[in-house]
Amino acid sequence: MKSLLLSGDYFRYVLPAKNPARKELIYLPYWRFKGLLLFSLPAGNDHKFIDVNQRAAEIPGMPITLGLRAQAIKLKFAAPDMEGSFIPPARPFPEIFTEFQKRLSQALPKPLLYCAHLGESMGMLYAPFYANGRLYDALLDKPVGNLPAKLSGGVFKESKPTWRVQFVPALCPDCGWDLEGQRDTLVLHCGNCKASWYPSGQKLTRVESFALHTPEKEAYQLPFWQITCNITEISLKTYADLVRIANLPVVVRGSFEKREFRFWLPAFKLRARAFLRLAESLTLIQAQEMLEPSLPAGRHHPVTLPVEEVCESLKVVLAGFLKPRRKVAELLTAITIQPTHFRLAYLPFAEDQHDYLQPHTQLAINKNMLNLSGNL
C-alpha cells in the first residue's frame, strides 16, 4: 500500500453514464445508508441487512430513490473536476436518516428493546441526468418528468464543489517507515517501530496492538477490538462482575476482582449472527490475560470495521448474555454504555479445509463466510 484515501466527512460516488444524447450531465444528490441492523427483543437478538437511498434535494421530477442501482452498478469516486454540474444536497443526512429509521422501525418485530447499526456506511450518490426539453435519466436515457424551472434555461450553474478525496502517504508518522496493510484495511502496521496506526479524520492516530503468540507459523491472525467502558445501572467492571451478571458456571476467586472487564468484538466484517456469536463468546472468555503487546506475526486479516461502529453494538452484545432474562427488557432501556478506551488484539486461528479454528477458545469461523463478508 502506497497511500490512504481519506475524506473529511464522507465519500461521494457517481453512477457512471454513457450519455448517449451527448448532453451536459446534471448530477443529482442521493443519501445512501448501508449496513447491518442489530436489535434486541425479549426473546433474544436478531438482525437485518439494509442498503437504502433517498434523494437529498427537492427537485420536481427527481425520483425519490435510486432503488437497487447502487448495488447493481459499479460506482466511481466523484471528483469536482468531472464534466457536468453537481447539485448540492438541500437536505442534511440526519433528516434523511430519521426517515430511514421510521421506515425500518415499521418493519421490525415488537417490542423492540434496543437497535444498533453495524458496519454502517453513509455516503453521497450522484445520479446522472440531463435536460432535453424534459428531465432525462442518463442511465436509462428516458424522461422522468418535466424540466424544473431552475433547469429550464440550461444546466443549473452551480459553483464548482471544493470537496475532494485526500491521498495520505502510507508512511509511519513516528519513524517515516513504509506502513504495511491490505488494500481494504483500516489499520496499518510499521515493521520498523512496531506501531499500529488508525485513521482519525484526515490523519493517522496510534492504536495499541496486542497479539497471542503461537509457535504455528501458518496461523491466520484475526483482529478484534477490546473496549473498556463505563456502564450504568449494573456493576460490570471486573471479571468477577461478569461471572455474576452472566451467571457463568465458575467459582468466583479473589483474583477475578482484579481482572478488568473488556468487551471483545470482531474488527472485521462478518454476517450479523456470526458477529454476535463471536462477540458474546470472546467477551465471556476474557482472553486478554493471554496477550502481549505486539504486532501480528505472519498472515493477518485486515481490520475492516471501525471501532466507532462496533461500539454501537455493545448494548446488543450485553443483552445476549445478561441474566436473568426476565429482567433484560427493564435493564436494557435504563443502561447506558460509555466507551473509555480501546485497543486491538490479534488471535491466531488454525486453518483446515472449511474453517478457521482458534485452539485456545475453541471458536470457529467458516472460511467461505469470512471471504464473502467483505462485500457487506
Side-chain angles (χ1 to χ4, degrees), residues 36 38 114-120 186 198 223-229 263-270 275-276 279 283 303-318 337 339 341-344:
L36 291 172
L38 306 178
Y114 182 74
C115 181
H117 302 98
L118 177 67
E120 66 185 60
L186 295 174
Y198 179 74
F224 296 86
W225 291 114
Q226 290 184 65
I227 302 172
T228 306
C229 304
F263 282 97
W264 279 67
L265 300 104
F268 50 94
K269 292 182 179 180
L270 204 58
F275 176 91
L276 290 174
T283 298
V303 175
T304 54
L305 273 182
V307 67
E308 297 86 355
E309 293 181 14
V310 299
C311 283
E312 294 188 24
S313 66
L314 293 176
K315 209 183 242 194
V316 179
V317 174
L318 176 62
I337 302 179
H341 183 261
F342 67 89
R343 68 184 195 182
L344 199 58

Side-chain angles (χ1 to χ4, degrees), residues 16-328:
K18 295 181 180 179
N19 191 15
R22 302 299 178 187
K23 299 288 185 178
E24 186 172 359
L25 294 177
I26 311 166
Y27 289 99
L28 300 184
Y30 286 81
W31 287 114
R32 183 189 191 188
F33 183 79
K34 173 185 175 183
L36 291 172
L37 184 67
L38 306 178
F39 48 93
S40 296
L41 303 168
N45 294 328
D46 208 341
H47 66 278
K48 283 183 179 294
F49 177 77
I50 53 176
D51 189 347
V52 291
N53 59 80
Q54 187 167 322
R55 64 187 181 188
E58 295 297 336
I59 297 177
M62 180 181 178
I64 296 176
T65 175
L66 296 174
L68 299 177
R69 293 187 194 181
Q71 304 172 38
I73 299 176
K74 186 175 181 179
L75 305 176
K76 295 183 178 180
F77 281 115
D81 55 357
M82 292 178 64
E83 293 185 0
S85 297
F86 287 88
I87 306 302
R91 302 182 65 190
F93 180 75
E95 179 182 328
I96 298 295
F97 185 62
T98 300
E99 296 183 12
F100 287 159
Q101 288 181 312
K102 289 180 180 179
R103 286 158 49 188
L104 292 169
S105 63
Q106 295 174 356
L108 296 179
K110 303 293 188 296
L112 187 65
L113 304 181
Y114 182 74
C115 181
H117 302 98
L118 177 67
E120 66 185 60
S121 174
M122 180 270 282
M124 176 66 69
L125 300 176
Y126 282 101
F129 294 81
Y130 65 86
N132 189 16
R134 303 183 68 187
L135 184 65
Y136 277 74
D137 185 325
L139 288 172
L140 303 177
D141 198 27
K142 293 181 179 180
V144 294
N146 295 325
L147 191 63
K150 66 180 180 181
L151 297 177
S152 59
V155 174
F156 179 55
K157 297 301 181 183
E158 183 70 30
S159 59
K160 279 293 183 180
T162 58
W163 40 258
R164 62 180 63 252
V165 176
Q166 181 179 1
F167 290 85
V168 177
L171 300 175
C172 179
D174 276 0
C175 69
W177 201 262
D178 288 338
L179 295 175
E180 302 172 357
Q182 294 93 322
R183 184 173 180 269
D184 56 346
T185 189
L186 295 174
V187 174
L188 299 175
H189 304 295
C190 177
N192 183 49
C193 64
K194 310 302 180 184
S196 297
W197 298 93
Y198 179 74
S200 178
Q202 294 189 351
K203 64 178 183 178
L204 295 174
T205 302
R206 189 163 184 164
V207 59
E208 296 177 87
S209 181
F210 289 74
L212 174 58
H213 290 287
T214 174
E216 299 294 333
K217 294 184 179 180
E218 299 301 319
Y220 191 49
Q221 305 278 346
L222 291 177
F224 296 86
W225 291 114
Q226 290 184 65
I227 302 172
T228 306
C229 304
N230 288 330
I231 306 174
T232 64
E233 305 302 324
I234 60 173
S235 177
L236 186 53
K237 294 183 177 181
T238 67
Y239 183 53
D241 293 333
L242 175 64
V243 171
R244 297 185 189 104
I245 72 160
N247 196 24
L248 299 180
V250 178
V251 177
V252 177
R253 303 174 184 172
S255 60
F256 291 2
E257 302 286 358
K258 300 178 182 179
R259 289 175 58 184
E260 184 181 40
F261 168 79
R262 296 190 183 103
F263 282 97
W264 279 67
L265 300 104
F268 50 94
K269 292 182 179 180
L270 204 58
R271 291 183 181 177
R273 197 176 302 279
F275 176 91
L276 290 174
R277 175 178 58 84
L278 273 179
E280 292 172 15
S281 298
L282 283 170
T283 298
L284 292 176
I285 292 171
Q286 292 291 288
Q288 54 263 29
E289 298 295 322
M290 299 186 291
L291 305 178
E292 298 178 4
S294 174
L295 297 183
R299 297 184 306 142
H300 58 276
H301 196 75
V303 175
T304 54
L305 273 182
V307 67
E308 297 86 355
E309 293 181 14
V310 299
C311 283
E312 294 188 24
S313 66
L314 293 176
K315 209 183 242 194
V316 179
V317 174
L318 176 62
F321 60 77
L322 195 59
K323 301 292 188 299
R325 296 300 305 175
R326 65 179 183 276
K327 292 186 177 181
V328 169

